[in-house]
């Protein structure tokens, strides 16, 4: 699933606040200190190193740095001062320990699989998640009534699940999108600095791909192609998407086994099931095509939007109009996709790109979970228009909720983006901050003073608005905001663990100043 921010070039600002080698020393300092704290890990992943060595700093010195630098909440310490201060301490105590070649194929193994329950959790989720998709799709099929309180009729014939032609359509869709992604138009943006000091290039032409795709869609509509095709063959599309996400995950796993250890993600654990699920390689590529960047934003996300559009187009053709609730949910979700593609480069600083490997979790999320389940509200309204909200006041209230969610979502992401790009930007310079030992600061007022993940909060409000268009007859159309709350809570905890590692006492100070995690004043 895609993670989205609006931080076009955070790394550039990092480059401005400290020199590369200084950054490396501080980052290594942080990293080693925290990995010592996590004693159960036998071997840590490759550290950020300078040209010839790794550095190690004792836990005691770590604590000293944290104490010295994280003593107050302020908005007037310059990042340069903080970095210089931390480096002064670091430089006097750092000792050379070992030379660690990056290209060694040796496996980097952790003894402690951290997220999603390790090997057992990874294996269980690999089986369970596709079943959830099937269960919801089948339950909301027109013959089953979208009831959560009875076991749905399950199609028995394999042909109802599988059609080779549909496989061809779905595969053709991926290839079409890959070709659009490879068009040499649009800006090339640099990714974050990798552990070996490289920065990869990413071609950002998502809006162009969207434009071409929409033109093709319009052409098909005016050529009178059957717009209900996807709806009529929904189960077969779902099977094709799930199957192809498995194929992609197996390919990625095999590819990663042959990749040098330096290309592996920091979370790789050495357990086969866990690595298959979480992904082993950080930035797998085929030629110029960065697979994770591509699959995060293109086939699944644009596909989701087109599924909604096909339902509207089909209803328009059949009835001469589109149900207002279907129109609204399609509009909301289109804005969401547009926003993601407009701010495409910002995904380069999200957890998914910087930290997670590309494995089954993301492949399945991108290719099956997003298009098959995020379109559930539109699918439901199309199938059961009698249950959807049609009262104009209620629809107006839903629009209001969507707008509030969108403002918070975009505002929070942009505020952090502006701050990370240039803390002296007048739009954010007045905000209160907490200095950290890395030289970066944490925002503690504005959106980021409301709760620790205001962008998630905005996202959740929008998710709720989408489901409210479905009315209150059935529970299953509310699957999206319910699961999203769980997903984002878990994601917040995982990211918080990273932040605690990165920022130590400063992060704790932030948590103290902003006690709510996701929902202001409540949670
Ligand atoms: P964020 O954009 O919130 O990024 C987290 C990072 O922000 C942290 O690692 C830290 O990085 C920085 N940060 C945290 N707190 C502060 C602070 N107080 N001040 C300054 N910087 C801070 O998270 P994600 O990448 O998870 O999400 C991005 C967007 O994607 C969100 O809007 C989310 O709702 C959306 N999303 C959507 C999904 C979907 O399926 N639709 C799934 C997941 C996410 P650092 O300090 O290094 O800069």
């Amino acid at each position: 699933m895609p993670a989205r921010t609006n931080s076009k070039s955070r790394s550039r600002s990092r480059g401005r606040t400290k020199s590369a080698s200084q950054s490396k020393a501080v980052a290594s300092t942080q990293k080693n200190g925290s990995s010592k704290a996590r004693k159960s890990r036998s071997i840590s992943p490759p550290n950020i190193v300078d040209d010839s060595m790794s550095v190690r700093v004792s836990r005691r010195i770590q604590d000293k740095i944290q104490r010295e630098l994280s003593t107050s909440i302020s908005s007037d310490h310059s990042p340069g001062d903080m970095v210089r201060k931390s480096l002064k301490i670091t430089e006097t105590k750092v000792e050379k320990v070992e030379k660690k070649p990056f290209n060694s194929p040796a496996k980097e193994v952790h003894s402690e699989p951290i997220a999603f329950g390790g090997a057992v959790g990874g294996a269980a989720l690999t089986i369970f998640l596709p079943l959830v998709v099937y269960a919801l799709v089948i339950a909301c099929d027109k013959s089953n009534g979208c009831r959560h309180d009875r076991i749905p009729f399950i199609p028995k014939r394999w042909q109802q699940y599988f059609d080779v032609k549909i496989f061809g359509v779905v595969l053709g869709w991926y290839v079409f999108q890959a070709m659009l992604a490879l068009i040499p138009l649009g800006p090339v943006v640099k990714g974050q600095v990798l552990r070996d000091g490289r920065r990869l290039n990413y071609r950002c032409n998502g809006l162009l791909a969207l434009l071409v795709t929409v033109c093709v869609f319009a052409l098909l509509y005016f050529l009178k192609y059957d717009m209900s095709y996807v709806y009529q063959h929904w189960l077969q599309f779902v099977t094709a998407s799930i199957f192809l996400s498995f194929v992609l995950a197996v390919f990625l796993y095999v590819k990663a086994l042959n990749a040098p250890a330096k290309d592996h993600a920091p979370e790789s654990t050495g357990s086969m099931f866990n690595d298959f699920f979480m992904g082993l390689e950080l930035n797998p590529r085929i030629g110029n095509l960065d697979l994770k960047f591509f699959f995060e934003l293109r086939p699944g996300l644009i596909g989701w939007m087109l599924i909604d559009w096909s339902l509207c187009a089909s209803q328009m053709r059949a009835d001469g109009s589109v149900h207002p609730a279907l129109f609204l949910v399609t509009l909301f979700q289109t804005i969401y996709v547009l926003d993601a593609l407009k701010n495409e480069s910002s995904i380069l600083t999200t957890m998914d790109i910087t930290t997670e490997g590309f494995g089954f979790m993301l492949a399945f999320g991108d290719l099956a979970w997003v298009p098959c389940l995020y379109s559930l509200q539109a699918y439901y309204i199309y199938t059961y228009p009698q249950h959807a909200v049609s009262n104009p006041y209620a629809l107006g209230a839903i629009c209001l909720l969507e707008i509030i969610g969108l403002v918070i979502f975009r505002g929070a992401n942009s505020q952090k983006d502006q701050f990370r790009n240039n803390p002296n930007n007048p739009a954010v310079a007045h905000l209160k901050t907490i200095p950290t030992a890395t030289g970066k600061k944490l925002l503690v007022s504005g959106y980021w003073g409301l709760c620790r993940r205001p962008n998630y909060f905005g996202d959740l409000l929008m998710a709720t608005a989408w489901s409210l268009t479905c009315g209150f007859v059935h529970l299953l159309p509310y699957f999206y905001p319910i699961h999203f709350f769980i997903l984002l809570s878990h994601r917040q905890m995982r990211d918080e663990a990273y932040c605690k590692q990165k920022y130590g006492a400063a992060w704790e100070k932030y948590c103290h100043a902003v006690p709510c995690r996701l929902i202001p004043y409540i949670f």
Side-chain angles (χ1 to χ4, degrees):
M1 280 153 268
R4 316 207 278 101
T5 62
N6 187 18
S7 43
K8 283 193 178 144
S9 55
R10 267 191 223 167
S11 49
R12 258 180 265 142
S13 74
R14 282 176 192 152
R16 280 196 297 271
T17 52
K18 51 191 174 188
S19 76
S21 60
Q22 283 171 333
S23 318
K24 285 165 190 168
V26 173
S28 292
T29 301
Q30 287 279 310
K31 195 163 187 142
N32 282 297
S34 52
S35 66
K36 272 195 166 187
R38 285 176 289 118
K39 283 188 180 123
S40 50
R41 291 195 174 182
S42 56
I43 305 174
S44 61
N47 291 320
I48 299 171
V49 292
D50 65 18
D51 295 334
S52 60
M53 65 179 180
S54 299
V55 290
R56 186 175 64 196
V57 177
S58 74
R59 179 75 193 169
R60 195 166 47 79
I61 298 160
Q62 280 285 303
D63 292 342
K64 189 173 174 193
I65 294 171
Q66 302 289 359
R67 271 200 308 277
E68 291 230 8
L69 298 176
S70 308
T71 46
S72 64
I73 296 176
S74 77
S75 53
D76 54 7
H77 284 89
S78 85
D81 280 351
M82 306 311 290
V83 174
R84 272 191 296 278
K85 205 172 175 189
S86 68
L87 285 172
K88 213 171 156 199
I89 302 166
T90 308
E91 278 163 8
T92 55
K93 309 285 181 179
V94 166
E95 48 177 314
K96 294 182 186 182
V97 282
E98 58 178 327
K99 210 167 183 175
K100 196 173 181 183
F102 261 119
N103 273 327
S104 147
K107 270 195 164 185
E108 295 289 344
V109 181
H110 293 189
S111 62
E112 175 202 13
I114 32 180
F116 301 101
V120 176
L125 286 168
T126 303
I127 296 165
F128 178 68
L129 292 177
L131 293 180
V132 172
V133 175
Y134 273 123
L136 282 161
V137 166
I138 290 172
C140 287
D141 179 67
K142 49 187 172 297
S143 56
N144 278 319
C146 215
R147 303 285 299 260
H148 67 278
D149 53 352
R150 65 166 75 136
I151 294 174
F153 164 78
I154 297 171
K156 300 276 182 316
R157 289 185 304 118
W158 65 267
Q159 291 91 337
Q160 291 170 280
Y161 295 89
F162 176 82
D163 182 337
V164 74
K165 198 170 142 201
I166 307 285
F167 258 80
V169 172
V170 177
L171 201 56
W173 166 249
Y174 300 162
V175 173
F176 173 58
Q177 285 302 322
M179 282 163 53
L180 294 179
L182 288 171
I183 294 176
L185 289 175
V188 174
V189 177
K190 289 230 174 280
Q192 295 288 286
V193 181
L194 300 175
R195 282 167 291 164
D196 60 358
R198 284 180 306 145
R199 292 180 72 186
L200 300 174
N201 288 333
Y202 295 84
R203 165 84 58 192
C204 294
N205 62 4
L207 283 180
L208 175 74
L210 186 71
L211 187 70
V212 174
T213 308
V214 166
C215 289
V216 173
F217 180 88
L219 190 70
L220 293 177
Y221 182 78
F222 289 113
L223 290 177
K224 304 249 179 290
Y225 270 78
D226 181 6
M227 288 288 135
S228 67
Y229 185 76
V230 176
Y231 181 79
Q232 299 300 343
H233 298 85
W234 190 220
L235 203 50
Q236 294 156 337
F237 271 97
V238 169
T239 303
S241 305
I242 292 175
F243 183 81
L244 289 170
S245 72
F246 268 96
V247 172
L248 175 63
V250 170
F251 168 77
L252 291 167
Y253 183 69
V254 173
K255 182 176 178 317
L257 288 181
N258 295 302
K262 75 178 171 65
D263 291 342
H264 288 179
E267 274 213 60
S268 305
T269 61
S271 143
M272 189 181 88
F273 286 117
N274 193 67
D275 286 346
F276 175 78
F277 183 75
M278 294 299 295
L280 205 50
E281 208 178 345
L282 189 61
N283 304 295
R285 290 185 160 210
I286 300 178
N288 282 339
L289 190 68
D290 186 282
L291 297 175
K292 191 162 52 162
F293 184 65
F294 168 70
F295 281 107
E296 281 271 298
L297 285 172
R298 303 297 180 83
L301 214 60
I302 300 177
W304 164 32
M305 190 192 90
L306 284 197
I307 290 163
D308 286 4
W309 283 32
S310 74
L311 296 172
C312 288
S314 164
Q315 203 172 68
M316 183 72 184
R317 195 171 271 164
D319 306 341
S321 65
V322 179
H323 192 291
L326 179 58
F327 174 78
L328 268 192
V329 81
T330 301
L331 178 69
F332 296 161
Q333 296 181 347
T334 299
I335 292 171
Y336 195 78
V337 173
L338 254 176
D339 179 84
L341 293 174
K342 183 171 165 291
N343 300 300
E344 189 178 14
S345 60
S346 66
I347 200 177
L348 298 176
T349 55
T350 62
M351 255 175 93
D352 282 359
I353 299 290
T354 60
T355 315
E356 314 271 36
F358 193 20
F360 180 78
M361 180 179 78
L362 290 182
F364 177 78
D366 296 338
L367 294 185
W369 193 266
V370 168
C372 300
L373 291 189
Y374 287 23
S375 55
L376 193 67
Q377 294 104 337
Y379 184 96
Y380 175 82
I381 299 171
Y382 182 86
T383 312
Y384 309 101
Q386 67 279 19
H387 299 328
V389 172
S390 52
N391 180 304
Y393 295 108
L395 289 173
I398 291 170
C399 283
L400 191 65
L401 184 65
E402 164 74 16
I403 292 167
I404 294 171
L406 188 60
V407 167
I408 296 175
F409 170 79
R410 181 49 40 224
N413 279 326
S414 297
Q415 198 166 67
K416 177 160 68 73
D417 175 45
Q418 288 169 332
F419 183 71
R420 282 283 176 253
N421 277 328
N422 175 16
N424 298 320
N425 182 330
V428 291
H430 62 285
L431 296 171
K432 282 188 178 173
T433 58
I434 295 179
T436 76
T438 66
K440 281 163 83 176
K441 294 179 182 178
L442 293 167
L443 286 168
V444 75
S445 69
Y447 286 108
W448 294 81
L450 287 177
C451 64
R452 299 208 290 273
R453 276 297 181 284
N455 48 354
Y456 289 7
F457 175 58
D459 219 342
L460 279 168
L461 291 184
M462 289 192 285
T464 309
W466 303 351
S467 284
L468 284 172
T469 58
C470 299
F472 298 101
V473 178
H474 291 134
L475 181 67
L476 290 185
Y478 286 82
F479 171 80
Y480 180 70
I482 293 169
H483 110 278
F484 207 40
F485 179 76
I486 297 166
L487 183 146
L488 291 180
S489 302
H490 182 248
R491 191 178 172 88
Q492 190 266 347
M493 284 194 295
R494 291 177 64 215
D495 189 52
E496 195 143 307
Y498 290 128
C499 287
K500 209 166 179 175
Q501 234 173 286
K502 262 187 292 188
Y503 301 127
W507 185 259
E508 273 160 27
K509 193 157 257 189
Y510 175 54
C511 294
H512 187 69
V514 184
C516 290
R517 291 168 50 199
L518 271 184
I519 306 176
Y521 309 109
I522 298 177
F523 173 68

